[in-house]
Amino acid sequence: MSNLQDQLHRPLRDLRISVTDRCNFRCQYCMPEELFGPDFAFLPSEKILSFEEIERLVKIFVSLGVKKVRITGGEPLLRRDLPNLIERIHRIDGVEDIALTTNGTLLKKYANDLAKAGLSRVSVSLDSLNEERFFEMNGHRGKVKTVLEGIEKAAEAGLHVKINMVVQKGVNEQDLVSMAKYFKDKKHILRFIEYMDVGNSNGWKMDDVVSKKEMIEQIHQVFPLKQVEPNYQGEVAKRFQYQNEQGEIGIISSVTESFCSSCSRARISAEGKLYTCLFATDGTDLRELLRTGEDDASIIKCISDVWENRTDRYSDERNEQTMEKRKKTKIEMSHIGG
Ligand code: SAM
Ligand code: SF4
Ligand code: SF4
């Protein structure tokens, strides 16, 4: 086992791979229609890592300590033949867990193939059960009904399903309780995510954040909750169980209670850049190394150097100065996938 550590003694354990920068939604907080319109220049296919290239990188990352791989996007299910990539990753010795983050619109179609290919878990993003509000939030693209059908299909296929809801003040906070009720009854774990200042497109303001404390208060009034221990050290979501019924929720409080000290995640964009933080401004071009014939040893050396020099702790340090410094230069969420 590699004992690679960054400057804050954090190991490298998780790898998030974005397989496309395209999406069939235009969520206001991620790819607003005004900026990602019909003329937007998405990456041409030759600039995107091939499955062979991703497979090679995963093997290299595993040799450096990675155990969990998450596939994301853009919308990852838009990438042709995705189950084939899952199968390739599943065959790699040392990969203990493969997860997928998706908006769920194509899950009904692919759930069985993904499960057969070796996917373990799926996180489905859903911000409201109200068709009108959801339609508004996703840029007039998708229906709640389609996503719910995808969720059920994934569960039937044997995938472990979690639902992620980003909560924005004045936009969908009124849906917290109805979401909690629906997924409690369906026995799926729902995780509420504090709205973050990722990317440069969403005009984020602290006032738009519904804090973990506010979320708990709202739900607790209707369904009393009790906090429980994390499942494992460094678990990102804080866990809460219902006091009077079966089931639990999670809260990802990246803004009001950051967790950089346990962050062991590296991210690779669809074009093959390595980022060591969700709020990074620069990445390291791994595609260039892959395509100029570098051997594994030199790619391992490059990634190790990057990780050993890593000092990122943006959320711990978030304040007006750090936000001003990175204004307009952060990588977009649709490039590295959350
Ligand atoms: N398209 C897929 C999806 O929506 O699940 C995968 C990529 S998407 C960028 C990954 C996750 O990031 C989604 O759950 C989305 O809601 C979340 N996300 C995007 N922008 C965000 C923001 N500003 N704050 C918090 N979460 C955000
Ligand atoms: Fe697409 Fe996901 Fe971003 Fe929404 S959050 S625009 S579904 S990439
Ligand atoms: Fe990790 Fe960066 Fe998020 Fe901190 S801000 S938890 S270092 S991705």
Side-chain angles (χ1 to χ4, degrees):
M1 154 82 79
S2 161
N3 46 21
L4 185 67
Q5 287 196 340
D6 71 7
Q7 293 286 310
L8 304 172
H9 309 294
R10 297 170 296 189
L12 171 55
R13 291 284 178 266
D14 306 272
L15 181 63
R16 300 203 156 197
I17 307 168
S18 169
V19 292
T20 177
D21 60 336
R22 289 164 202 257
C23 189
N24 51 355
F25 277 10
R26 288 293 178 274
C27 302
Q28 267 300 325
Y29 56 63
C30 178
M31 296 177 79
E33 181 92 64
E34 310 83 82
L35 297 177
F36 294 83
D39 298 330
F40 185 82
F42 288 102
L43 292 167
S45 58
E46 69 275 10
K47 292 207 167 160
I48 290 187
L49 292 187
S50 67
F51 286 176
E52 288 75 16
E53 288 169 330
I54 295 176
E55 188 181 354
R56 185 170 167 212
L57 282 181
V58 174
K59 283 183 184 154
I60 287 175
F61 273 93
V62 166
S63 77
L64 292 171
V66 161
K67 293 176 182 304
K68 292 183 181 176
V69 176
R70 178 172 290 273
I71 304 296
T72 177
E75 174 44 46
L77 291 177
L78 291 181
R79 178 81 187 251
R80 193 179 311 147
D81 214 9
L82 194 73
N84 178 254
L85 176 66
I86 304 291
E87 214 175 293
R88 286 165 180 262
I89 297 175
H90 184 60
R91 280 201 299 261
I92 298 174
D93 255 357
V95 173
E96 292 175 2
D97 186 81
I98 314 174
L100 173 81
T101 307
T102 171
N103 64 25
T105 45
L106 296 167
L107 203 48
K108 192 174 169 186
K109 184 168 170 195
Y110 291 117
N112 278 331
D113 291 345
L114 291 165
K116 263 191 235 143
L119 188 73
S120 344
R121 297 183 294 123
V122 59
S123 303
V124 183
S125 307
L126 180 64
D127 293 335
S128 177
L129 288 169
N130 176 293
E131 287 286 4
E132 230 172 284
R133 206 146 39 241
F134 185 57
F135 203 56
E136 202 52 47
M137 289 185 78
N138 66 42
H140 310 113
R141 299 294 206 281
K143 287 194 179 143
V144 174
K145 186 172 175 288
T146 319
V147 180
L148 294 179
E149 285 171 3
I151 290 171
E152 290 323 312
K153 191 72 197 229
E156 278 165 33
L159 294 169
H160 189 266
V161 185
K162 283 188 183 145
I163 321 299
N164 285 339
M165 171 187 184
V166 176
V167 189
Q168 264 180 294
K169 194 151 270 177
V171 178
N172 62 341
E173 63 185 318
Q174 65 273 53
D175 297 321
L176 274 164
V177 172
S178 55
M179 286 281 287
K181 175 167 184 357
Y182 182 88
F183 288 108
K184 172 173 66 57
D185 294 347
K186 288 278 177 192
K187 304 194 173 13
H188 295 313
I189 297 180
L190 170 62
R191 297 188 314 180
F192 300 99
I193 303 177
E194 287 181 354
Y195 175 46
M196 296 183 284
D197 53 328
V198 260
N200 317 292
S201 312
N202 58 21
W204 184 92
K205 298 189 298 307
M206 189 66 205
D207 290 350
D208 300 332
V209 178
V210 180
S211 68
K212 171 187 148 209
K213 185 166 172 283
E214 292 171 288
M215 297 190 211
I216 296 294
E217 276 165 11
Q218 263 206 48
I219 299 167
H220 186 77
Q221 277 181 14
V222 187
F223 303 116
L225 294 166
K226 58 170 190 270
Q227 183 154 9
V228 290
E229 291 296 309
N231 285 312
Y232 53 90
Q233 207 199 348
E235 187 174 27
V236 167
K238 307 276 181 330
R239 297 173 61 210
F240 296 84
Q241 278 174 359
Y242 293 109
Q243 285 181 19
N244 305 328
E245 288 166 84
Q246 289 276 313
E248 70 176 74
I249 57 163
I251 303 212
I252 304 183
S253 54
S254 349
V255 178
T256 63
E257 278 175 31
S258 54
F259 37 77
C260 298
S261 61
S262 60
C263 180
S264 53
R265 294 176 178 171
R267 298 176 153 87
I268 302 176
S269 68
E271 58 188 322
K273 282 195 174 169
L274 166 64
Y275 292 89
T276 54
C277 179
L278 190 51
F279 300 89
T281 52
D282 292 314
T284 304
D285 191 354
L286 299 179
R287 189 187 64 200
E288 175 72 11
L289 301 180
L290 291 166
R291 294 190 182 173
T292 50
E294 295 290 343
D295 61 10
D296 283 3
S298 52
I299 300 178
I300 288 175
K301 165 96 176 60
C302 167
I303 298 169
S304 305
D305 286 349
V306 169
W307 195 263
E308 278 169 355
N309 284 307
R310 176 183 190 241
T311 55
D312 304 280
R313 50 193 295 270
Y314 179 87
S315 289
D316 279 357
E317 297 174 321
R318 184 187 280 107
N319 58 38
E320 277 178 22
Q321 273 164 341
T322 56
M323 282 164 56
E324 185 59 31
K325 224 162 91 192
R326 299 204 189 184
K327 216 173 167 182
K328 299 207 171 68
T329 56
K330 284 177 289 186
I331 178 80
E332 289 299 333
M333 186 72 139
S334 52
H335 266 259
I336 46 172

